[in-house]
Amino acid sequence: DAKTTQPNSMESNEEEPVHLPCNHSTISGTDYIHWYRQLPSQGPEYVIHGLTSNVNNRMASLAIAEDRKSSTLILHRATLRDAAVYYCILWRTGNQFYFGTGTSLTVIP
Amino acid sequence: DTAVSQTPKYLVTQMGNDKSIKCEQNLGHDTMYWYKQDSKKFLKIMFSYNNKELIINETVPNRFSPKSPDKAHLNLHINSLELGDSAVYFCASSQAPGQYYEQYFGPGTRLTVT
């Protein structure tokens, strides 16, 4: 099974960068790495995804290890609005995907 | 304009009843999904439809039956509700099936079975 492992919780000060790690040691060559976040009482929201190369978008950056067994979601300047549960997901060919238990991010003012 | 909408937002019902949850997306997407999020916040895929055809059917009791009347709608009907069905149900859509496409989620339907 393609599974992801994330820390249960992390804290960050407001306006500082946050690095959210994810281990996915059973990743296979065609698995995409997706990140979603879920704010309290809302549906999950897409953040970013990638295959092998690092990716940047307006919300975040995704750094993928060379062996692809781990990745890191980077929020460049945490705001209070970024407090959420962040899910790292492996998305396999054939529409198989696996949500982990997520990391609950607390942003301290 | 809400991209993915679900009705109702809250649903409280008794064991043994039959209920439906509706989902609509106005994004022009081909693919729609149903997820269940339990009390421990674990999200699990239940079903997915692409162009009205079922493409993902995870191990879910056959009391749960999805129906897609058209590409923009995916409904979930649940027969003989049980206490363990209490959860938040999320609908989502994506441009197409597969790993490359991001999913857009609805606000969720909180189902409570008493």
Side-chain angles (χ1 to χ4, degrees):
Chain A
D1 275 355
K3 291 185 178 165
T4 62
T5 305
Q6 301 175 251
N8 286 335
S9 61
M10 291 183 66
E11 284 187 353
S12 172
N13 292 321
E14 197 177 7
E15 298 192 5
E16 289 190 356
V18 185
H19 290 232
L20 296 163
C22 181
N23 286 323
H24 28 77
S25 58
T26 59
I27 194 169
S28 66
T30 56
D31 290 349
Y32 272 75
I33 302 157
H34 283 243
W35 284 82
Y36 283 73
R37 71 181 185 182
Q38 188 173 19
L39 278 66
S41 301
Q42 293 189 27
E45 175 188 28
Y46 169 78
V47 178
I48 201 166
H49 75 283
L51 182 61
T52 55
S53 304
N54 294 344
V55 184
N56 299 300
N57 66 21
R58 64 175 179 80
M59 284 183 74
S61 295
L62 175 60
I64 301 173
E66 203 167 324
D67 64 5
R68 300 186 72 232
K69 292 182 187 285
S70 65
S71 61
T72 303
L73 178 70
I74 303 164
L75 307 179
H76 296 286
R77 284 178 73 245
T79 68
L80 296 178
R81 199 198 168 276
D82 292 322
V85 177
Y86 287 78
Y87 294 98
C88 169
I89 303 142
L90 284 189
W91 208 300
R92 183 157 284 179
T93 307
N95 279 314
Q96 297 174 36
F97 44 93
Y98 306 89
F99 276 78
T101 51
T103 297
S104 178
L105 176 66
T106 300
V107 180
I108 302 166
Chain B
D1 232 8
T2 305
V4 181
S5 58
Q6 295 177 228
T7 52
K9 190 168 174 63
Y10 299 96
L11 185 53
V12 181
T13 188
Q14 292 185 329
M15 284 175 57
N17 285 347
D18 302 339
K19 290 292 178 186
S20 291
I21 307 172
K22 295 187 176 182
C23 177
E24 177 181 359
Q25 54 96 2
N26 63 5
L27 297 167
H29 288 169
D30 284 347
T31 310
M32 296 184 73
Y33 309 81
W34 276 113
Y35 288 84
K36 178 181 179 181
Q37 187 169 44
D38 61 25
S39 56
K40 294 183 180 177
K41 305 293 185 184
F42 185 67
L43 260 170
K44 188 179 176 193
I45 181 76
M46 299 174 70
F47 303 104
S48 177
Y49 272 73
N50 183 55
N51 277 324
K52 301 194 296 175
E53 283 193 27
L54 184 66
I55 58 171
I56 296 177
N57 187 4
E58 291 294 309
T59 306
V60 174
N62 57 15
R63 298 182 293 104
F64 290 79
S65 53
K67 279 195 181 153
S68 181
D70 55 58
K71 278 193 335 180
H73 296 86
L74 180 61
N75 303 324
L76 183 65
H77 188 76
I78 315 170
N79 288 328
S80 303
L81 278 154
E82 300 178 357
L83 292 177
D85 298 332
S86 295
V88 181
Y89 292 84
F90 289 101
C91 176
S93 73
S94 63
Q95 186 178 335
Q99 316 120 293
Y100 189 74
Y101 299 98
E102 64 208 63
Q103 292 188 14
Y104 293 80
F105 282 78
T109 295
R110 182 174 294 275
L111 171 65
T112 303
V113 182
T114 61

